[in-house]
């Protein structure tokens, strides 16, 4: 019986020690939890400050952008106004005949430039034809319509037949 009493007392002491240890662990966990809550609140506070500073900086940048765009717009409007004044002054100083002549000169320059482009394309077509390329191949290489290539080559062939 004495052995059993000692055993029971040892068990009671062991249970008391486990309970004391449990209370200590729980106290440490409560402290850690409180520290974590403080850290979380500090993080939330710093995040709110950061977001507010970013929003403030964003608003400042947006306002600077708007000011810049308005300045550019006003410069463009002023430039357009000056060009319109210059055009009106030139038109007022020019006679209708002179304006018509300038317009015809511009059209002539456009026509000459277009004919030069066509001559270059025709030269390329004839060069490829003389090298033995078919009409379809020439159209594909020069990225032109087959009908246009056929027309130019037929004209070239007729011109050669008249020269013989």
């Amino acid at each position: 019986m004495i052995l059993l009493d000692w055993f029971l007392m040892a068990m009671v002491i062991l249970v008391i020690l486990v309970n004391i240890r449990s209370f200590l662990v729980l106290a440490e966990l409560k402290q850690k939890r409180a520290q974590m809550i403080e850290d979380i609140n500090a993080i939330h506070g710093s995040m709110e400050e950061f977001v507010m500073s970013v929003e403030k900086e964003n608003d400042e940048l947006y306002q600077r952008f708007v000011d810049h765009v308005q300045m550019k717009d006003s410069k463009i409007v002023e430039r357009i106004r000056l060009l319109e004044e210059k055009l009106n002054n030139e038109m007022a100083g020019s006679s209708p005949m002179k304006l018509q002549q300038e317009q015809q000169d511009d059209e002539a320059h456009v026509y000459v430039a277009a004919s030069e482009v066509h001559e270059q394309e025709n030269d390329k077509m004839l060069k490829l034809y003389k090298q033995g390329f078919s009409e379809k191949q020439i159209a594909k290489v020069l990225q032109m319509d087959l009908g246009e290539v056929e027309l130019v080559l037929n004209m070239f062939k007729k011109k050669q037949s008249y020269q013989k």
Side-chain angles (χ1 to χ4, degrees):
M1 182 89 173
I2 293 182
L3 190 59
L4 187 62
D5 287 339
W6 280 104
F7 179 73
L8 287 174
M9 286 202 15
M11 290 303 279
V12 168
I13 291 173
L14 184 64
V15 169
I16 290 173
L17 289 175
V18 169
N19 279 340
I20 290 172
R21 178 72 180 142
S22 297
F23 285 126
L24 291 174
V25 169
L26 282 175
E28 285 179 26
L29 288 175
K30 278 187 176 182
Q31 262 185 333
K32 287 182 180 179
R33 187 171 191 266
Q35 182 64 37
M36 287 175 66
I37 290 173
E38 285 180 31
D39 291 346
I40 289 171
N41 289 336
I43 290 171
H44 282 293
S46 64
M47 287 297 290
E48 286 176 7
E49 289 175 17
F50 175 74
V51 167
M52 288 175 60
S53 69
V54 167
E55 286 177 347
K56 182 179 176 184
E57 185 178 341
N58 190 28
D59 290 341
E60 290 171 0
L61 287 173
Y62 178 76
Q63 188 58 44
R64 285 177 45 199
F65 175 72
V66 167
D67 293 342
H68 178 75
V69 168
Q70 287 174 346
M71 180 186 69
K72 290 291 186 181
D73 282 349
S74 65
K75 285 182 179 180
I76 289 173
V77 167
E78 180 64 22
R79 176 104 171 120
I80 289 172
R81 187 187 61 77
L82 290 173
L83 289 172
E84 286 176 343
E85 285 179 8
K86 185 177 178 181
L87 181 65
N88 288 337
N89 289 341
E90 287 179 4
M91 290 182 80
S94 301
S95 67
M97 291 295 278
K98 189 175 180 181
L99 287 175
Q100 187 178 12
Q101 182 62 38
E102 288 176 1
Q103 191 175 25
Q104 288 174 350
D105 289 345
D106 290 343
E107 289 173 1
H109 288 300
V110 169
Y111 178 75
V112 168
S115 65
E116 287 175 1
V117 169
H118 283 293
E119 285 178 25
Q120 290 174 352
E121 289 176 352
N122 293 348
D123 290 342
K124 288 178 187 177
M125 279 187 253
L126 295 175
K127 186 176 180 181
L128 290 172
Y129 177 72
K130 289 176 182 177
Q131 291 175 358
F133 285 87
S134 71
E135 293 171 348
K136 287 182 182 179
Q137 290 171 328
I138 294 171
K140 191 172 187 179
V141 168
L142 297 179
Q143 297 177 348
M144 299 176 72
D145 289 333
L146 178 60
E148 187 175 353
V149 172
E150 289 173 342
L151 176 67
V152 171
L153 293 179
N154 285 337
M155 289 173 57
F156 173 72
K157 290 173 192 175
K158 282 188 179 184
K159 183 178 178 183
Q160 277 189 331
S161 68
Y162 290 141
Q163 290 177 353
K164 290 182 181 180

